[in-house]
Amino acid sequence: MSPTERTRTLRRRMVVEARRATIEHGLHGFTIEQLCETVGVSRRTFFNHFASKDDAVLGIEQGAMSELLAAYADGSLVPMDLDPLGSIVALAIEQMHVVGLDRADEALVRRVFDAEPLMVAKFLAAADVQLAAVGQAVRERFGWIDPDDRRAQLVAEAAAGLLKVTAGTYFDDAFDESTGPSFDALLTDNLRQLRAAITTTGQDHTA
């Protein structure tokens, strides 16, 4: 296992254990020290990855998104010949590969929200911050620097809608992961359908 893979595995253990502890004891029913003891890491290691216990529960790793967005903006992460919406979809796929995608873990998140409803608002606030950061990265990548140019925001919001629809399908309890498409394939197909919907006259129902 490479150092990068070990780091990702450790980060994932901290997130999963933070979520399990929240479900069992509530967000205020355990300390960072107890979480570190369970995972077998120091406080210093914990804070190298997460700014707070809340961030660990939500899986918000310090600096991880900033690095991805910087690489996206300068063209070193996804090909520069992609159009704006396609480039964000490619970015989302890269992010999923870095963070990892686990339907069982998503079920943990739902249980966290049931146990701590206030975490939903924190999750939505974090999503808004991330969406704004994606929009800024799109501006930098495509040179849309005019403050009145709303294309970057529109593209970022459209991509967020694609991800929401894709996640809604992929994480649905009725979805069969063994026979259904991968998240990447589902997201890519939803992008295709969105493009078809935008360009169709409304008469062709087979696009």
Side-chain angles (χ1 to χ4, degrees), residues 34-164:
Q34 289 170 326
L35 175 61
C36 290
E37 183 177 354
T38 299
V39 179
V41 299
S42 66
R43 276 178 57 90
R44 179 177 179 179
T45 297
F46 175 88
F47 285 111
N48 282 340
H49 291 274
F50 303 102
S52 67
K53 183 166 59 174
D54 289 16
D55 281 2
V57 174
L58 294 175
I60 303 172
E61 186 177 7
Q62 292 203 85
M65 193 60 187
S66 299
E67 294 174 5
L68 282 175
L69 289 179
Y72 164 82
D74 68 22
S76 61
L77 183 62
V78 299
M80 285 299 292
D81 60 352
L82 293 174
D83 64 79
L85 188 54
S87 72
I88 299 183
V89 168
L91 169 65
I93 291 173
E94 288 292 335
Q95 183 183 14
M96 292 299 177
H97 290 170
V98 170
V99 174
L101 194 66
D102 190 318
R103 296 181 74 239
D105 194 38
E106 190 274 342
L108 275 182
V109 174
R110 281 190 267 171
R111 292 175 63 192
V112 166
F113 290 161
D114 288 340
E116 291 285 351
L118 291 179
M119 291 298 287
V120 176
K122 294 180 181 180
F123 172 79
L124 294 175
D128 285 342
V129 170
Q130 180 168 318
L131 185 61
V134 169
Q136 180 58 38
V138 173
R139 291 185 185 90
E140 295 173 10
R141 181 182 175 98
F142 293 97
W144 296 340
I145 58 176
D146 186 332
D148 294 326
D149 191 336
R150 293 182 292 278
R151 285 177 293 177
Q153 180 182 358
L154 290 167
V155 170
E157 294 281 359
L162 275 171
L163 284 166
K164 180 179 179 181

